[in-house]
Amino acid sequence: MVPVQYYLLLSAGLFCVGLFGILTRRNALVFLMSVEIMLTAANINFVAFSFQHGNLTGQVFSLFTIALAAAEVAVGIGIVLVLYRNFRGVDVTEAATMRW
Amino acid sequence: MVAFDYAPAIALLPFASFVIALFAGKYMPKRGALAGILATGGSLVLSIWMAFTVAGGETYNEELYTFVSPEAFDLHLGILVDPLAALMLIIVSLVAFLVHIFSLGYMNDEGETGLPRYYAGLGLFTASMLGFVLADNLFMAFMFFEMVGLCSWLLIGFWFRDDAPPSAAKKAFLVTRFGDYFFLVGVVGIFVTFSTATYAGSESFVRLAEEALAGNVGAVNTFGFEPQTWFAILGLLVLGGVIGKSAQFPLHTWLPDAMEGPTPVSALIHAATMVAAGVYLVARMYGFYALLPTVLAIIAFIGGFTALFAATMAVVKREIKQVLAYSTISQYGYMMLGLGVGGYVAATFHLMTHAFFKALLFLGAGSVIIAMHHNEDMWDMGGLKDRMPVTYWTFLAGSLALAGIFPFAGFWSKDEVLYEALVHGLNDPLLLGAYAMGLLAVLFTGFYTFRMVLLTFHGEPRSETAKNPHGVGWNVKLPLAVLGALAVVAGFINMVPVAELTGANIEFLHKWLEHGITGVTSEHYGELLSEFAGYQAAELSPLIPAVVSLGLALAGAGLAYVLYSGASPERHTDRLGSIKTLLMSNYYQDEYQVWLADATTRVARAADTFDQGVIDGVVNGVSSVSLFSGSRIKRVQTGVVTNYAALLSLGLVALLVVFGLLGGWF
């Protein structure tokens, strides 16, 4: 049996990859993907601890998270579309006109 | 009693006419005059109803609305209807009603503009004065006192496009305000001393003061002073407001300038409302003043001095309204003299008769001014007797009353004031001095009154307009006729000398003011005066003093007749030389008050600098610091989503580090 620490390391690695994507990339679609990767990292944590404690609640929660991620992608794609329409591109740093 | 349920309506009706004239006046046929006439007429009817109910032995003293419950401070609105208030209500509403009718002739028929504003002002003025009369406590009285002052400002400055009226209005407002500061401090002082400011009843401040002086101090807080001293201070503070409003020396300077307002307004201000408010206030809380001999002596002395002082200035004036203005100051001096010497009934009597004959004289002067195309100089008049007989005869009746000629109204009341002053003055030299000044003023009154009548109505016309005066309508003649009749007969309600001589029971006003609420009757005031103020009336027949004052009045009138009765009288005042200059300049009172005001400018400037520099500096500093820091800190919001994400992550890391350090993970 693989110890829970390895899963946690994997999850932390994935989270950092997602965070790196958000902090460095400008493409809105890459943003969405990075967010998905971070959510996956959270899911791995849920499942790992569920397995560790022998309690199924964590796994149920990860199912919820997957459903929520799907909804989020739908909304996110919508935002990306509007962004494209208004700024002729999907660069998130361009959309900075609503500040002071 | 059902009648008293309508008591608030007496003041609310003119207030309603104020609202109507203000908002709907310009759409109405007479620009709000009809609303005013109906409202004041309604008030008059209700006031008469009140008087009949009071005559039946009923009184009313109720709270209507409470601001602060009586535990700490008793701040409330309430209504007190007793014989004094009922009498005053009739005077005020009657004069206001007639002034409204007269205004139809003086304002509407003369094609004035801004009439809704005028009638709104009249309505509010009447409402404030009636509210003041109905008030059952000093706090409410102070509120209405201030409203009366505000309305006088609005109405004196009615012709605000000219130069003089706005300046006169400001002067009237500021000078009376100066007195009102003392009044305000006095009201607050009465509240902290007695915790209440009601006039009547067992819990009133008047009664508490009486008990405190009788040795039962109780909860009355006199701040370590002797009760007598402290109450005298309070009485003098309240008297400050009275001196300002009733135009007593040295705060009388606003009143002659107030003649810049429309003449009906002058009639209302000087006969029944603003100026009467001061004297009414002293009469209203007379139970308090009757305890304080020092204050009474001051009132008497100021009154006597003002009566003489103002009468001398009236002798040389050229404008008809100026003569009347100084006669008003002088007559209110008599009322103060009457109150100061313990003649509560006499002063109230003079307040009533004066309201009628002075309103009559002002309205008569207004009628003359209409006829003269708004020229007020008496030297341009003359010979109006035959051209305007109604005005002449009514004006003559008013003048005879003012001069105190038997048997017109003013004779009875002024004579009673002087009689009271004499009988109390025989035991007190200070009061005797006040009496002497009042008596001498009778001579001047007779002189200037008949100088005015002779110059205006007799002799040959001295200008083209006087030859062909403008006619006046019924709306001018009707108020003159009503007031003219009252100026003749109003004195008959209290003929004390006749009662003394014949033994007939005809001192109706004495009887009227004797009953009412316990503690606020003339009978009780008499007891207080002899018990606390030590006033003793000397035994003296009223006949000899009456003959003396009548003789002086006739002498003054006769002198005026000798000097001014010819077809084209000379300007005898020129022969007075430098005295004339002094009198024409009103004893340089204005100059000296302006000098006083200028002398305090440096204090005002220092206060201004402090205000602008320190107070405003702190306020402005706070706001500019906020503005500046806001303009810097808002830069954090770049609008770039990546930056937000970075800040979030950094914040999370920082939070983790802090938790780690505090939780001892490292």
Side-chain angles (χ1 to χ4, degrees):
Chain A
M1 179 180 138
V2 184
V4 73
Q5 288 91 336
Y6 293 98
Y7 292 111
L8 294 187
L9 277 176
L10 173 67
S11 149
L14 272 176
F15 188 83
C16 287
V17 169
L19 191 60
F20 181 79
I22 283 181
L23 290 180
T24 54
R25 298 308 162 107
R26 313 173 87 173
N27 190 319
L29 285 169
V30 178
F31 249 68
L32 268 183
M33 291 176 207
S34 305
V35 171
E36 289 307 310
I37 291 173
M38 287 162 85
L39 282 169
T40 314
N43 276 346
I44 288 172
N45 262 2
F46 269 127
V47 175
F49 280 113
S50 158
F51 183 63
Q52 167 81 4
H53 295 296
N55 184 338
L56 282 180
T57 316
Q59 298 196 24
V60 174
F61 249 102
S62 71
L63 281 178
F64 272 110
T65 313
I66 290 166
L68 189 123
E72 183 232 300
V73 167
V75 175
I77 297 284
I79 292 174
V80 171
L81 271 177
V82 176
L83 195 66
Y84 183 80
R85 235 182 252 162
N86 282 300
F87 293 92
R88 295 277 113 205
V90 288
D91 186 343
V92 289
T93 55
E94 290 288 308
T97 52
M98 291 258 287
R99 62 181 179 183
W100 29 271
Chain B
M1 284 301 288
V2 74
F4 293 125
D5 294 342
Y6 295 94
I10 296 176
L12 288 176
L13 276 174
F15 186 78
S17 90
F18 154 70
V19 174
I20 291 171
L22 192 63
F23 293 108
K26 58 182 166 186
Y27 309 111
M28 293 169 73
K30 292 282 184 194
R31 301 284 181 271
L34 296 179
I37 291 172
L38 284 178
T40 45
S43 294
L44 178 59
V45 171
L46 285 175
S47 305
I48 292 171
W49 190 19
M50 295 298 141
F52 273 113
T53 318
V54 170
E58 300 280 338
T59 50
Y60 186 71
N61 185 15
E62 290 292 328
E63 286 186 23
L64 290 184
Y65 180 81
T66 308
F67 292 106
V68 177
S69 66
E71 279 129 35
F73 275 162
D74 183 11
L75 297 184
H76 68 267
L77 298 182
I79 283 188
L80 170 65
V81 182
D82 71 337
L84 177 67
L87 177 71
M88 195 66 192
L89 283 177
I90 293 185
I91 298 172
V92 175
S93 50
L94 175 66
V95 173
F97 176 61
L98 294 174
V99 162
H100 271 88
I101 293 180
F102 186 87
S103 297
L104 281 177
Y106 196 85
M107 305 298 284
N108 291 48
D109 294 355
E110 296 285 283
E112 294 288 345
T113 51
L115 286 173
R117 185 163 53 88
Y118 173 78
Y119 285 109
L122 276 191
L124 190 62
F125 206 165
T126 315
S128 322
M129 184 64 194
L130 289 168
F132 174 76
V133 172
L134 286 169
D136 80 329
N137 64 81
L138 263 184
F139 164 69
M140 181 176 168
F142 180 75
M143 285 164 52
F144 284 106
F145 209 62
E146 292 304 300
M147 275 173 68
V148 168
L150 167 74
C151 296
S152 73
W153 178 78
L154 289 171
L155 286 170
I156 295 168
F158 176 71
W159 285 312
F160 62 88
R161 288 184 183 83
D162 302 341
D163 288 336
S167 148
K170 256 181 282 178
K171 185 174 176 186
F173 191 73
L174 289 176
V175 173
T176 55
R177 273 303 313 167
F178 181 74
D180 290 350
Y181 278 120
F182 295 99
F183 184 20
L184 177 60
V185 176
V187 171
V188 173
I190 283 176
F191 265 114
V192 295
T193 306
F194 302 106
S195 303
T196 179
T198 44
Y199 294 133
S202 55
E203 292 298 309
S204 64
F205 74 94
V206 179
R207 180 60 68 88
L208 290 175
E210 185 187 330
E211 282 172 7
L213 286 183
N216 175 20
V217 175
V220 173
N221 178 5
T222 57
F223 297 93
F225 289 94
E226 285 288 304
Q228 181 76 35
T229 321
W230 179 244
F231 295 161
I233 293 172
L234 291 178
L236 286 176
L237 285 170
V238 174
L239 191 66
V242 172
I243 287 176
K245 277 280 189 296
S246 278
Q248 298 297 294
F249 180 82
L251 297 183
H252 64 277
T253 46
W254 66 270
L255 195 143
D257 288 24
M259 293 301 127
E260 293 293 342
T263 308
V265 171
S266 306
L268 194 58
I269 289 182
H270 302 308
T273 53
M274 183 161 169
V275 191
V279 171
Y280 179 77
L281 183 66
V282 177
R284 184 72 281 175
M285 48 188 281
Y286 200 65
F288 187 69
Y289 281 113
L291 305 169
L292 311 165
T294 330
V295 184
L296 281 178
I298 291 173
I299 293 177
F301 208 77
I302 288 179
F305 180 70
T306 309
L308 179 61
F309 184 69
T312 55
M313 287 187 273
V315 167
V316 298
K317 298 293 171 202
R318 302 163 59 96
E319 287 91 8
I320 185 166
K321 279 178 77 181
Q322 287 291 317
V323 177
L324 289 176
Y326 283 100
S327 82
T328 305
I329 301 176
S330 172
Q331 297 301 308
Y332 279 96
Y334 278 114
M335 290 171 217
M336 296 293 274
L337 172 65
L339 288 167
V341 298
Y344 166 73
V345 180
T348 314
F349 186 29
H350 198 51
L351 180 61
M352 184 195 88
T353 56
H354 175 265
F356 295 144
F357 68 69
K358 188 49 63 68
L360 167 65
L361 288 173
F362 267 112
L363 296 185
S367 168
V368 169
I369 291 167
I370 296 174
M372 292 296 296
H373 299 281
H374 293 260
N375 180 355
E376 295 179 17
D377 192 338
M378 292 191 295
W379 288 104
D380 291 338
M381 299 178 187
L384 293 173
K385 177 163 72 103
D386 306 318
R387 293 173 181 79
M388 33 200 331
V390 175
T391 307
Y392 171 66
W393 288 110
T394 51
F395 197 87
L396 187 64
S399 302
L400 288 165
L402 171 61
I405 307 288
F406 179 84
F408 291 85
F411 167 75
W412 303 104
S413 56
K414 189 187 291 179
D415 181 62
E416 197 180 342
V417 168
L418 288 173
Y419 174 69
E420 293 282 349
L422 180 60
V423 291
H424 291 108
L426 288 176
N427 295 319
D428 186 342
L430 193 65
L431 298 187
L432 196 63
Y435 166 74
M437 290 191 288
L439 192 66
L440 189 56
V442 171
L443 179 71
F444 285 100
T445 310
F447 179 76
Y448 71 66
T449 308
F450 281 90
R451 175 177 175 266
M452 170 176 73
V453 173
L454 292 166
L455 285 182
T456 308
F457 291 102
H458 290 253
E460 293 296 319
R462 287 182 293 274
S463 69
E464 282 305 312
T465 33
K467 282 193 186 108
N468 293 305
H470 190 304
V472 293
W474 68 270
N475 40 31
V476 170
K477 288 174 185 160
L478 174 75
L480 287 179
V482 173
L483 288 169
L486 281 170
V488 178
V489 302
F492 296 145
I493 65 166
N494 203 31
M495 295 187 288
V496 175
V498 177
E500 292 275 334
L501 283 183
T502 61
N505 221 350
I506 51 171
E507 300 154 292
F508 299 112
L509 194 66
H510 275 275
K511 300 221 164 32
W512 175 255
L513 290 171
E514 250 168 31
H515 74 276
I517 299 169
T518 320
V520 284
T521 59
S522 64
E523 207 171 11
H524 185 65
Y525 294 155
E527 289 162 13
L528 293 180
L529 281 171
S530 63
E531 194 177 333
F532 290 96
Y535 272 31
Q536 301 285 327
E539 281 297 318
L540 192 71
S541 159
L543 197 61
I544 298 158
V547 169
V548 170
S549 68
L550 180 61
L552 279 173
L554 286 174
L559 185 62
Y561 188 77
V562 170
L563 290 178
Y564 292 103
S565 70
S568 44
E570 284 176 54
R571 304 195 179 209
H572 293 286
T573 43
D574 290 341
R575 283 196 275 166
L576 290 169
S578 58
I579 298 178
K580 184 204 169 192
T581 322
L582 180 68
L583 294 177
M584 279 302 250
S585 317
N586 310 325
Y587 294 100
Y588 299 105
Q589 288 289 302
D590 289 317
E591 283 76 1
Y592 128 80
Q593 286 183 357
V594 167
W595 177 79
L596 266 188
D598 280 343
T600 55
T601 329
R602 294 175 77 184
V603 182
R605 266 190 222 297
D608 183 54
T609 314
F610 179 77
D611 184 38
Q612 301 275 333
V614 178
I615 309 275
D616 285 11
V618 169
V619 175
N620 292 343
V622 167
S623 69
S624 47
V625 163
S626 309
L627 270 176
F628 180 77
S629 51
S631 73
R632 291 292 157 200
I633 293 172
K634 74 180 176 187
R635 307 263 163 203
V636 170
Q637 285 197 312
T638 54
V640 180
V641 75
T642 317
N643 290 0
Y644 297 154
L647 283 173
L648 272 176
S649 317
L650 283 175
L652 179 68
V653 170
L655 205 63
L656 281 175
V657 169
V658 168
F659 277 139
L661 284 176
L662 291 178
W665 295 349
F666 304 118

